[in-house]
Amino acid sequence: MIVLGVALITLCAKLRVPSWPVPMTLHTLAVMALAVTVGPRLAAATFCTYLAIGAAGLPVFSGTPERGIGLAYMVGPTGGYLLGYLSASWIAGTLARDRGPVGRALAMLAGLAVVYAAGLSWLALYVPANQIVALGFAPFILGDLTNIAIVAVGGALLPARLRGKIVQ
């Protein structure tokens, strides 16, 4: 399951709209889908594995190898978002347990808040303070909310007997 999850996250990282300093990707879709379907432990383990593989130099991150690889990439402008996704996978997975569609959507929104808190804080090391929201939040929030809606609707359409077999 972890290998499939890492493959999903990598695929979603590679499907991107280039932008600076943070590229637009489908990371949110992958992270939240894993969190609400496989639970916090497996979702966090999957994202840790993704980060470890990326730190080792494999080109799993968005824009790699062009924008750098390994730890050099991880300490760049997107580093806070990567850490935020790790935290979000645990938080959203934990809050989504035994919840209905609305509860799972709220759990994903809580996870997304953590992603932005970590991402914007880290991004402040790279861009002027008056540009943080314009460069690290505004271009992404609508897409991220759409990704969460897709996961929420997809999860609601999944038969309950299948959801019960997937979630830990």
Side-chain angles (χ1 to χ4, degrees):
M1 186 63 89
I2 289 176
V3 171
L4 291 174
V6 169
L8 174 67
I9 296 168
T10 301
L11 175 66
C12 287
K14 297 298 182 178
L15 298 173
R16 66 185 171 100
V17 174
S19 60
W20 186 90
V22 180
M24 291 184 197
T25 68
L26 294 176
H27 262 126
T28 301
L29 184 124
V31 169
M32 298 305 172
L34 287 169
V36 300
T37 57
V38 302
R41 287 193 324 257
L42 193 51
T46 300
F47 207 80
C48 277
T49 303
Y50 171 75
L51 292 175
I53 290 169
L58 290 169
V60 296
F61 302 128
S62 177
T64 57
E66 309 89 44
R67 292 177 59 168
I69 58 170
L71 293 174
Y73 181 90
M74 295 174 77
V75 298
T78 61
Y81 295 96
L82 292 173
L83 290 176
Y85 283 126
L86 174 59
S87 299
S89 63
W90 179 268
I91 290 167
T94 299
L95 295 175
R97 276 189 184 158
D98 302 321
R99 304 277 186 228
V102 172
R104 287 192 299 273
L106 292 173
M108 289 186 279
L109 289 174
L112 185 61
V114 170
V115 170
Y116 279 113
L120 295 173
S121 297
W122 187 269
L123 188 60
L125 300 172
Y126 294 89
V127 300
N130 65 343
Q131 294 180 359
I132 292 172
V133 171
L135 295 174
F137 178 80
F140 306 100
I141 188 65
L142 184 59
D144 285 340
L145 292 174
T146 301
N147 288 332
I148 286 175
I150 290 167
V151 173
V153 169
L157 296 175
L158 193 66
R161 69 180 188 281
L162 290 178
R163 273 196 315 267
K165 291 183 187 218
I166 296 172
V167 177
Q168 289 183 327

